[in-house]
Every structure is written in C-alpha cells, then in structure tokens.
Amino acid sequence: MKKKIIIISSTLILIFLCVYIFKPHLFDKIITPFRKNINCVEYEKKNYHLKLKDGQGSYIKSASRNGISKCDNKNDLLKNSKLIKIENSKFFIIDNLTHSYPYLTEDGRNLLNKIGRGFNLKISNSDLEDTKFIVTSLTRTTESINRLQKSGNKNSNKQSAHLYGECFDITYKRFSNRFVNLKPCHLNYLKEVLAGVLYDLKKNKKCWAITEKRQPCFHVVCR
C-alpha cells in the first residue's frame, strides 16, 4: 500500500512539473484557487505608457539592416543560423504563439533579458516579486504575416519589424504570478512598472517602444 502511494505521489509530482515547464498557463489555472489575495499597489510614477510612441519610420530601416533577412516560412526561418530559440525564463513566459515563432537574434535576446532583469528588479522585495511578464509575439515570416492579416489583425503589415528577428511584443493586459491572485489594480501597476523599464531603455537609446492600443501590448524593437 505504501509503495502504491509513493508511486501515485511521484506520478502526480511529475505531471505537475511537466505542466509547469511546458504549459505554464495551464499550471496558472490549476493553482488559481490557492493563490493569496493582496492589497492594491499604487505606482508613484504613472503614465509611462503614454511616452512610448515611436513610429515605424524611426526604426524599420535599422531593424531591416541589423536583423536577419525576411524568411518566407517556418522552414526558412529554422535554417537561419543567426536566430536563437527563446524559452521561458525566471523573468518572462512565452505565450502560446500562433502567428510568430520563439526566435530572436542575439541582440533581440539580450534586449528581452535586459527588460526582464529590469522588471524583476523593480518589483523585488514586494508582494508582486514573483510576477513574470508574457511575450505574445516574436519573429514572423511573410507567410505568418499573411495569415495574421487574414485573421483581421489591423496592426500587422508586410513591412513589420517582426520579420527581422529583433522585435517582440509584451502584453500589458496579462501577467503571471504563481502565488498572488492578480486583480485589475495589480495589472495596471505592473503595466506602468514595465512601461517605466522600457522608457528608461528607450531614453538610453537601447530600444524603440510603442504602446499598442488595438492589440494590448508593448511593441519593442532593438536599437
């Protein structure tokens, strides 16, 4: 009997570990009832997101010059030696991607990690310190952009910076925290913290950043 209990317990632990590693969003749903509730947090510096408004004309030439050549499809993209696969980290989660692929150039990866470290530092020693942001789009191909346009996404275009491996989107409507039940007030706080990190990088000429409205995300491009 004891041996059977050990086997069942080990199996359940293994299942939970697999879900946590490979399906973090599903894991979030499983543990939702066990999260704690915390008070709302006020961020002293508001409306950083309003300062993120770089136009495509300011970055598209740089992205096309410094990034990869456009890839026609997934097979073409996977053959590109300049691209690095991006996986979940202690700072962020890669969303379930339908119209892009989890790859960036080395510069793109370094920028994403820099944003992750900055965000993590801003919320350290707080009730929200375990929060991760969610990356919703990375490198696209001409084929995936065509599919995106057919799906009705009005923000996509055939000259998208996502084609060059140095661009990604981070949603500001969703964040992930294993221990805290995130309320709308927390999401607004985290949005401004993340926007503040992006603004500092933008100000120091490390990136271009735009607060998208039709799709609730920060559109970020290497500089």
Side-chain angles (χ1 to χ4, degrees), residues 114-128:
K114 190 173 292 186
I115 294 167
R117 287 191 294 270
F119 179 74
N120 185 260
L121 183 62
K122 292 274 189 182
I123 59 175
S124 62
N125 301 317
S126 75
D127 288 331
L128 294 169

Side-chain angles (χ1 to χ4, degrees), residues 84-86 91-92 104-118 133 165-166 168 201 206-207 220 222-223:
I84 301 168
K85 188 168 185 180
I86 309 300
F91 303 129
F92 56 80
L104 292 171
T105 63
E106 185 176 1
D107 287 342
R109 180 194 61 180
N110 292 342
L111 175 61
L112 181 57
N113 285 333
K114 190 173 292 186
I115 294 167
R117 287 191 294 270
F133 59 76
E166 299 200 324
F168 47 86
L201 289 168
K206 301 297 183 183
C207 74
V220 187
C222 288
R223 187 168 186 174

